[in-house]
Amino acid sequence: MAFRTYTGLRATRGALGGNVFRQSLPAATQLGRPRKMETNAQGAQTKEAKATRSKYKLTKAAGKSRYEVAPGQRIATATAGVPALVRLGTAAFVAGNLKNFRKRPSKPIELYEFEGCPFCRKVREACTLLDIDVLMYPCPKGGPTWRPKAVQLSGKSQFPFMVDPNTGRKMGESDDIINYLWNEYGDGNVPLLLKLGPVTAISNTLALLPRINRGISYRKSKLPKNPIDLWAYEASPFCKLAREVFVELEIPHVYHSVARNSPKRQELIDKWDVFQVPYIEDPNTGIAMFETPDIIDYLEKTYAV
């Protein structure tokens, strides 16, 4: 099965001016359609690529250059693609004025959150637009590790909760977190779709309804010694399916956001001469792999109990 890079979105001129991201076709209807892959034949020559290839064994390579979804995955992929539709493509692209942003965090932002939370999703959208990496501490309901730690840090059971190791700032409340991140690492101008108050919250809630029971509750697992590295972006349904399992198994992971136009996409191309997400590197086992179903199967067999 070949899961190609997904956005299903294209920029068009809206009636009120500016770019509006529209869904070209639902994910489940684009089966077998040729997709152009981003490649770099010189990737193996870079220092970073050599380090990756010496440290990790690629057990599942990227699929062929066709957008395919196995019959058993069609419904899941279609429902996971709903958020991109409802949120008008927010988090499918990085912010257009990325080059004007003030600075990049030297250490990943730490975020206590869970996949099925609309307020957490709103903050993840902001991180994608800002193109910043985040150390995710999944806090599913009933989780014995990160949820209690978040409550200890914040003094209340409320998500998301952010810790910025670069500045020492700690805070809850999704709007406060977004404003802080945009002022600290952006240009101070929060995008409209992230600051519409109840409209933003309601649309993120509606976006999650088709998969309301996934990425919320804890399933017994064994924690890895070190966080897993995950390359993904918020608007991709394939990344969402993998992320649901990360959250349910309470697996900490460094989320390397690589939405459309992210300069970090080249870093991933350099590793294996191709771009495709989701992609993981597990420093605990030395395993690297592409392909959503294979990643899910790996997480289940390695960390589920």
Side-chain angles (χ1 to χ4, degrees):
M1 183 190 315
F3 281 88
R4 303 301 334 126
T5 304
Y6 170 86
T7 61
L9 304 157
R10 62 174 180 265
T12 60
R13 295 297 295 181
L16 300 179
N19 286 334
V20 177
F21 297 119
R22 292 181 178 172
Q23 184 79 10
S24 56
L25 284 173
T29 67
Q30 298 192 24
L31 310 182
R33 177 165 295 196
R35 309 288 287 186
K36 183 178 180 181
M37 296 178 69
E38 300 174 60
T39 61
N40 176 13
Q42 300 302 315
Q45 304 304 312
T46 67
K47 180 179 179 180
E48 293 77 10
K50 289 181 178 179
T52 295
R53 296 187 181 200
S54 64
K55 182 177 180 180
Y56 293 99
K57 177 183 179 181
L58 186 66
T59 60
K60 181 62 179 180
K64 298 178 181 180
S65 59
R66 297 185 68 85
Y67 188 97
E68 300 177 41
V69 179
Q73 290 286 324
R74 288 175 179 172
I75 294 178
T77 303
T79 55
V82 169
L85 283 168
V86 175
R87 292 290 294 152
L88 303 179
T90 304
F93 295 76
V94 300
N97 59 337
L98 188 65
K99 63 181 181 181
N100 297 325
F101 287 177
R102 297 188 173 111
K103 59 182 177 181
R104 303 283 82 192
S106 58
K107 299 178 182 178
I109 304 299
E110 298 174 9
L111 191 63
Y112 295 80
E113 53 82 52
F114 60 98
E115 182 67 25
C117 167
F119 301 103
C120 299
R121 189 181 190 283
K122 184 167 63 171
V123 172
R124 295 196 305 269
E125 285 183 337
C127 292
T128 298
L129 288 165
L130 288 167
D131 200 41
I132 58 178
D133 294 344
V134 181
L135 174 52
M136 300 286 194
Y137 289 112
C139 300
K141 295 178 180 179
T145 309
W146 310 121
R147 180 172 279 249
K149 183 177 179 180
V151 173
Q152 181 181 15
L153 288 170
S154 66
K156 51 187 174 181
S157 183
Q158 180 175 307
F159 301 92
F161 182 76
M162 182 211 74
V163 177
D164 186 348
N166 303 283
T167 64
R169 293 292 299 277
K170 301 177 183 179
M171 66 181 66
E173 298 293 346
S174 58
D175 287 336
D176 292 340
I177 294 172
I178 290 172
N179 287 329
Y180 166 79
L181 291 175
W182 225 270
N183 284 311
E184 190 71 22
Y185 301 111
D187 60 0
N189 299 312
V190 177
L192 180 62
L193 285 176
L194 290 179
K195 61 179 182 180
L196 292 177
V199 174
T200 302
I202 292 171
S203 60
N204 269 300
T205 300
L206 293 174
L208 295 171
L209 285 179
R211 298 187 63 78
I212 194 171
N213 293 321
R214 297 306 309 267
I216 288 182
S217 300
Y218 172 71
R219 292 189 286 123
K220 192 174 182 180
S221 65
K222 53 185 178 182
L223 289 177
K225 182 178 179 180
N226 300 297
I228 295 175
D229 287 282
L230 169 65
W231 278 261
Y233 63 101
E234 186 62 28
S236 165
F238 304 122
C239 298
K240 175 174 172 53
L241 294 175
R243 261 269 305 171
E244 288 173 350
V245 179
F246 271 98
V247 171
E248 291 169 0
L249 298 181
E250 211 185 32
I251 300 173
H253 51 287
V254 178
Y255 193 104
H256 302 277
S257 185
V258 284
R260 290 279 180 169
N261 301 328
S262 169
K264 290 184 293 183
R265 285 195 166 206
Q266 187 60 48
E267 297 175 14
L268 184 50
I269 294 173
D270 288 344
K271 289 177 180 289
W272 303 106
D273 305 335
V274 65
F275 177 86
Q276 183 176 304
V277 289
Y279 164 75
I280 66 167
E281 291 176 355
D282 188 344
N284 306 283
T285 62
I287 295 297
M289 65 173 57
F290 295 92
E291 300 288 352
T292 302
D294 295 275
I295 290 172
I296 291 175
D297 184 64
Y298 169 78
L299 295 176
E300 295 282 1
K301 290 181 177 179
T302 306
Y303 296 108
V305 176

